[in-house]
Amino acid sequence: MTSDQDRPELRKIIEEMADSGFTGVALHVNDERGEWIATAGAREPGGTERPPANPYVRIGSNTKTFAAVVVLRLVAEGAFALDDPAAGLLPGYGLDPRITVRMLLQHTSGVFNFTGEFYEDGTVAPGIPSTIAGRAWVEGRFTAYRPQELVRLALSKPARFEPGTGWSYANTNYVLLRLLVEQVTGRSLAEETRRLILAPLGLSGTLLPGNDPEVPAPHSRAGYRYEEDGRQVVVDVTRQDPSWVSTGGDMISTPRDLHTFVSALAGGRLLPARLLAEMCAPHPEAGYGLGLMVQETEGGSTVLTHNGGMGGHAALMYSTPGGGRTLTAALNYVDDAALSMAAPFQQATRRLVKEVFDGAPSAAG
């Protein structure tokens, strides 16, 4: 805790999160009262040691916001336009010529999700062995995938809908954007992310790990549960090759770096105003802009956000427009194929957002 005030309601929420099934929580709130940090729960399943206050964590789909900023910065530099056909910028994959860069950013391309596609009737079309695959994912979690093979698998499947006619969240969109950036610039997405975001903001705790299975210290431990011979088996999956999700969710960061990033983004320090406005224009079906969600809180405040989970690690990232108030967090838990932590995750984030952005003092922007 680095401000001079305790926040008992927030402390109560994160303690109850630990009681509800999360292994551990490290929460950071930055606002007009300063920076407030608190932890709850444990560093590892079954342990008693508290989580680190500012741990490295696999940030899952928060990766998409970083990638979207890189793409939009390249738009600002004149490398391509938002409504350019992606096929012209990324030849050789047989992309539907109607799919634009904007559609990839906003998940309106209709392409199949290579980590598995969930349909409205409850059926699931599997892709590669991902965290919805149970033991198969655990046993294959050190498999190295090339982004090209993930994309080719997805494009071999039927599209979910005609480009631009619907909305469906797909990791494939962001792996296509990775390949597009690399094709256009001649540099890796990791290099462009360092050039455009990490170096200017001094984000020394944020990295694109590629195939590296390690998470730097300090960190909390990630778990995964599956059933074998009628019993529950829990495996430590902190170490894994993150190339299975690629730019859909492979980055590592810290709560403090996420605060620096999202406050700079919301405050207009990363993108020209017109492109930040494009990023924050939500799709009517899902509230999803271009790599960023725009949400109205229960109390009527607006927050910019993207959260992400990654096989027993998760990260929260919220900011008011303008960047004056942020909430970031690292979570560790025991994941499973049934996504049993999804409902507690949604409930906990609602409570945190209500307390931070709707509570007194009034939200800063």
Side-chain angles (χ1 to χ4, degrees):
M1 184 171 62
T2 58
S3 74
D4 59 2
Q5 286 184 272
D6 195 15
R7 307 195 184 190
E9 288 304 314
L10 274 175
R11 192 173 292 282
K12 180 172 182 283
I13 292 170
I14 63 172
E15 294 288 355
E16 289 175 356
M17 287 172 67
D19 292 340
S20 75
F22 289 97
T23 305
V25 183
L27 174 68
H28 289 220
V29 174
N30 285 265
D31 61 14
E32 57 275 27
R33 287 191 275 175
E35 180 183 56
W36 186 82
I37 300 171
T39 63
R43 180 176 172 271
E44 59 187 328
T48 56
E49 181 186 352
R50 284 272 192 172
N54 187 45
Y56 287 90
V57 64
R58 298 190 188 277
I59 65 171
S61 287
N62 289 283
T63 301
K64 295 181 175 73
T65 310
F66 283 86
V69 170
V70 170
V71 170
L72 291 167
R73 285 290 298 271
L74 290 171
V75 170
E77 291 179 358
F80 47 80
L82 274 174
D83 295 309
D84 282 350
L89 300 166
L90 185 62
Y93 289 88
L95 276 175
D96 188 314
R98 295 171 293 177
I99 295 174
T100 64
V101 173
R102 183 191 302 274
M103 290 177 192
L104 296 176
L105 286 165
Q106 199 160 31
H107 298 292
T108 58
S109 70
V111 296
F112 181 88
N113 185 12
F114 65 81
T115 50
E117 192 69 82
F118 291 80
Y119 292 97
E120 289 79 1
D121 62 2
T123 58
V124 179
I128 64 161
S130 67
T131 48
I132 64 171
R135 181 176 175 176
W137 176 74
V138 171
E139 293 181 344
R141 71 187 183 278
F142 295 108
T143 302
Y145 291 94
R146 297 175 68 244
Q148 293 87 347
E149 68 181 296
L150 300 175
V151 161
R152 292 194 190 283
L153 168 69
L155 296 178
S156 73
K157 307 281 188 177
R160 185 155 184 158
F161 48 77
E162 297 288 304
T165 65
W167 186 90
S168 183
Y169 192 86
N171 291 310
T172 311
N173 289 310
Y174 277 75
V175 184
L176 283 163
L177 287 167
R178 169 186 176 168
L179 294 173
L180 186 153
V181 165
E182 295 178 346
Q183 175 73 28
V184 170
T185 67
R187 294 180 291 273
S188 71
L189 179 65
E191 290 173 300
E192 287 296 87
T193 304
R194 285 191 288 270
R195 176 177 76 90
L196 296 168
I197 303 173
L198 306 188
L201 295 181
L203 300 184
S204 59
T206 302
L207 58 148
L208 290 81
N211 296 102
D212 189 345
E214 306 297 336
V215 179
H219 61 259
S220 293
R221 311 298 299 184
Y224 190 92
R225 178 192 306 110
Y226 65 92
E227 189 169 308
E228 183 178 27
D229 300 327
R231 65 188 180 93
Q232 295 289 315
V233 178
V234 176
V235 179
D236 187 317
V237 295
T238 310
R239 296 181 71 252
Q240 55 177 278
D241 185 325
S243 65
W244 68 269
V245 70
S246 187
T247 311
D250 64 357
M251 287 179 69
I252 292 170
S253 190
T254 67
R256 186 163 284 154
D257 268 18
L258 290 177
H259 152 70
T260 301
F261 169 66
V262 75
S263 61
L265 175 58
R269 300 198 301 276
L270 285 175
L271 293 174
R274 68 177 181 88
L275 289 174
L276 181 59
E278 294 264 22
M279 190 179 201
C280 297
H283 187 275
E285 188 175 327
Y288 201 96
L290 307 182
L292 197 65
M293 294 281 288
V294 182
Q295 292 182 356
E296 296 298 316
T297 69
E298 294 176 20
S301 301
T302 299
V303 292
L304 309 178
T305 180
H306 210 307
N307 298 327
M310 172 67 165
H313 271 178
L316 309 182
M317 184 174 71
Y318 293 86
S319 178
T320 49
R325 180 181 291 203
T326 67
L327 180 165
T328 57
L331 314 177
N332 59 308
Y333 59 103
V334 178
D335 201 359
D336 57 27
L339 307 176
S340 61
M341 288 305 297
F345 184 91
Q346 295 297 330
Q347 181 182 23
T349 54
R350 280 197 301 271
R351 294 180 65 197
L352 286 170
V353 166
K354 180 175 173 59
E355 179 62 30
V356 171
F357 296 102
D358 291 339
S362 60

